[in-house]
Amino acid sequence: MTARPTRTSDPPPTPRARAAPARRPGEPGTAEAASSAREVRPDGYYPTGPLPGPAHDEDAPVYVISIAAQLAGMHPQTLRSYDRLGLVTPGRTAGRGRRYSARDVALLREVQRLSQEEGVNLEGIRQVLRLGAQVMALQAQVRQLAEELAKARADAARQVAEAHASHRRDLVPIDRGAVVVWRPLPRR
């Protein structure tokens, strides 16, 4: 019998290790030890998806429709109808295949929650999503304006400091609004 050819999807071949000695249940290195080690972890949290960080992009369209449907707990046909209605619009490949991002999957879960738990109809969900997007855009605009205001205040403070540093020391600035002109009364 001939061996099948190596495919690019196959893992790289590893050298065969010697057979490990049999271990008793609960010993380090056994499946029981691994599961019991998980049970005694103090915080009890085990991430199930990709870890957040610089290598993980929430907006990267990576999930095909079947995986996105499974992650959202829906049928793929439901995702297609939501796409047609414009509720959740996924990215597209060159061949027009749908690709969902992690943000899209979270949005699908929110649509499902609004529909099933809150009893909101699809037009109501569309309005809720539109208003939510509008709120996010306004919050981004407020952040941008706050940054511009802080920069303008810093520039003004710098200009005032430069103006004070350039004043001659023998001159004293006066406040024009506080000057009182005294005129003597005419003598009789």
Side-chain angles (χ1 to χ4, degrees):
M1 182 191 254
T2 61
R4 72 175 176 86
T6 304
R7 298 180 186 150
T8 56
S9 61
D10 288 342
T14 57
R16 296 192 183 249
R18 292 188 325 222
R23 294 192 173 130
R24 293 186 299 253
E27 261 188 46
T30 61
E32 292 87 7
S35 66
S36 66
R38 268 186 248 141
E39 293 169 6
V40 294
R41 184 169 171 177
D43 60 357
Y45 173 73
Y46 290 96
T48 57
L51 295 175
H56 181 65
D57 183 12
E58 293 259 330
D59 294 319
V62 293
Y63 301 114
V64 295
I65 191 166
S66 60
I67 301 298
Q70 187 177 20
L71 290 172
M74 298 178 175
H75 192 275
Q77 193 61 38
T78 307
L79 274 63
R80 288 183 189 97
S81 66
Y82 286 170
D83 184 17
R84 278 192 300 273
L85 294 171
L87 291 176
V88 180
T89 306
R92 298 285 184 157
T93 63
R96 303 292 296 152
R98 293 174 175 90
R99 292 291 185 270
Y100 290 85
S101 67
R103 191 176 311 275
D104 292 334
V105 171
L107 191 57
L108 286 167
R109 287 180 184 153
E110 179 64 13
V111 168
Q112 184 179 33
R113 185 192 70 78
L114 287 170
S115 174
Q116 293 179 355
E117 294 176 15
E118 304 295 328
V120 180
N121 63 12
L122 292 179
E123 188 56 37
I125 291 172
R126 183 190 323 269
Q127 293 298 324
V128 167
L129 295 178
R130 184 184 59 77
L131 291 173
Q134 188 177 9
V135 166
M136 287 175 53
L138 290 172
Q139 288 173 341
Q141 186 178 9
V142 166
R143 278 192 301 275
Q144 178 189 2
L145 291 173
E147 290 170 3
E148 290 176 12
L149 179 62
K151 182 181 176 187
R153 284 182 175 165
D155 287 344
R158 180 186 47 79
Q159 289 173 353
V160 167
E162 288 174 359
H164 283 290
S166 68
H167 288 172
R168 291 183 23 200
R169 299 292 175 222
D170 57 340
L171 298 178
V172 178
I174 60 168
D175 185 10
R176 297 260 180 219
V179 174
V180 177
V181 178
W182 178 76
R183 295 191 180 153
L185 295 175
R187 290 187 176 217
R188 297 189 223 201

